[in-house]
Amino acid sequence: MLTLHGYWRSGAAYRVRLALHFKGVAFTQVTHDLRRAEHKADSYLGLNPQGMVPTLVTPEGRITQSLAILEWLEETYPTPSLLPSTAIARAEVRAMAATIACDIHPLHNLRVLTALRALGQNEAGVQAWIARWIEAGFRALEPEIAARGGPYAFGRDVTLADCCLIPQVFSAERFGVAMGAFPVLSAAAAAARASAWAQAAHPAHQPDADH
Ligand SMILES: N[C@@H](CCC(=O)N[C@@H](CS)C(=O)NCC(=O)O)C(=O)O
């Protein structure tokens, strides 16, 4: 049995839940309330020395970093697949996922926002910061997704790109980012989000959700 250490509103943990539910892999969850700094407890740092969620505990060992976890899930449970059949298409899907996981999300995670506030930035400034980086990433992704023709982020099949896009759109909506400039990206996220597997992974449907 796999154990996912996460938190209901964590975008990175949400990516992993999406892949687990898409593949129909059974798992249990352990929650670490980020608002109470439970992810910085010594007991958790042994599993994840960065003090971040998610961590996936497997019979072979523990894995940190959501993209590494997604790749391990894809290799270990190849069907149904979250990667296309050609090397170039797989690279393109990974590039979309990295745009989100490496270049958008890290700029608005809790520790960065906490640091901005500690440096004296007011809430309006923090909100502008969040919107700036999400919009910059979405501007780049919008034509990439449009070029694949939908309905999902990389065309007709669900991929790792959707596992990253759905949580990023959830965060954008939560932070009040204006989504009007990204109709194709929004439609792709909505298409994937409507599926039963994606609904099961939704933050509001997790046992630790307090809405
Ligand atoms: N690159 C990491 C990022 C993980 C991450 O940023 N997790 C957030 C929650 S979404 C976190 O634990 N934040 C705690 C903090 O910023 O203190 C991954 O993809 O797993």
Side-chain angles (χ1 to χ4, degrees):
M1 177 69 93
L2 304 177
T3 303
L4 177 63
H5 290 254
Y7 176 60
W8 64 285
R9 220 161 53 179
S10 154
Y14 190 2
R15 291 174 200 146
V16 175
R17 288 197 305 270
L18 284 162
L20 286 162
H21 283 293
F22 179 77
K23 289 176 174 293
V25 178
F27 66 105
T28 57
Q29 297 196 63
V30 176
T31 188
H32 302 270
D33 191 331
L34 302 188
R35 293 165 305 185
R36 297 210 297 240
E38 289 176 1
H39 57 304
K40 301 297 181 192
D42 287 345
S43 53
Y44 182 62
L45 292 177
L47 273 183
N48 186 317
Q50 284 185 289
M52 301 180 105
V53 293
T55 302
L56 187 71
V57 177
T58 83
E60 300 163 48
R62 57 106 172 117
I63 314 169
T64 63
Q65 289 290 342
S66 60
L67 291 183
I69 297 170
L70 293 178
E71 293 283 354
W72 180 85
L73 286 171
E74 179 65 14
E75 288 185 25
T76 308
Y77 306 95
T79 309
S81 179
L82 282 165
L83 283 172
S85 58
T86 67
I88 184 67
R90 286 195 292 277
E92 289 167 349
V93 164
R94 288 175 171 128
M96 278 186 180
T99 298
I100 295 167
C102 304
D103 296 337
I104 302 177
H105 174 263
L107 288 164
H108 68 69
N109 73 11
L110 179 61
R111 64 182 183 171
V112 169
L113 303 186
T114 302
L116 282 176
R117 291 178 180 120
L119 288 168
Q121 190 54 260
N122 62 25
E123 278 316 300
V126 170
Q127 289 307 313
W129 169 272
I130 294 168
R132 171 185 180 150
W133 298 115
I134 293 180
E135 287 168 8
F138 281 1
R139 264 196 303 279
L141 283 170
E142 177 77 4
E144 293 288 330
I145 294 172
R148 271 74 191 198
Y152 302 118
F154 197 76
R156 280 179 300 171
D157 297 314
V158 172
T159 65
L160 295 181
D162 298 288
C163 294
C164 293
L165 181 65
I166 293 171
Q168 191 57 59
V169 169
F170 173 82
S171 294
E173 290 170 351
R174 179 178 151 227
F175 288 125
V177 174
M179 293 296 288
F182 315 112
V184 175
L185 177 151
S186 298
R193 202 165 47 188
S195 315
W197 56 268
Q199 282 301 307
H202 192 282
H205 302 153
Q206 304 315 304
D208 55 332
D210 61 19
H211 313 282

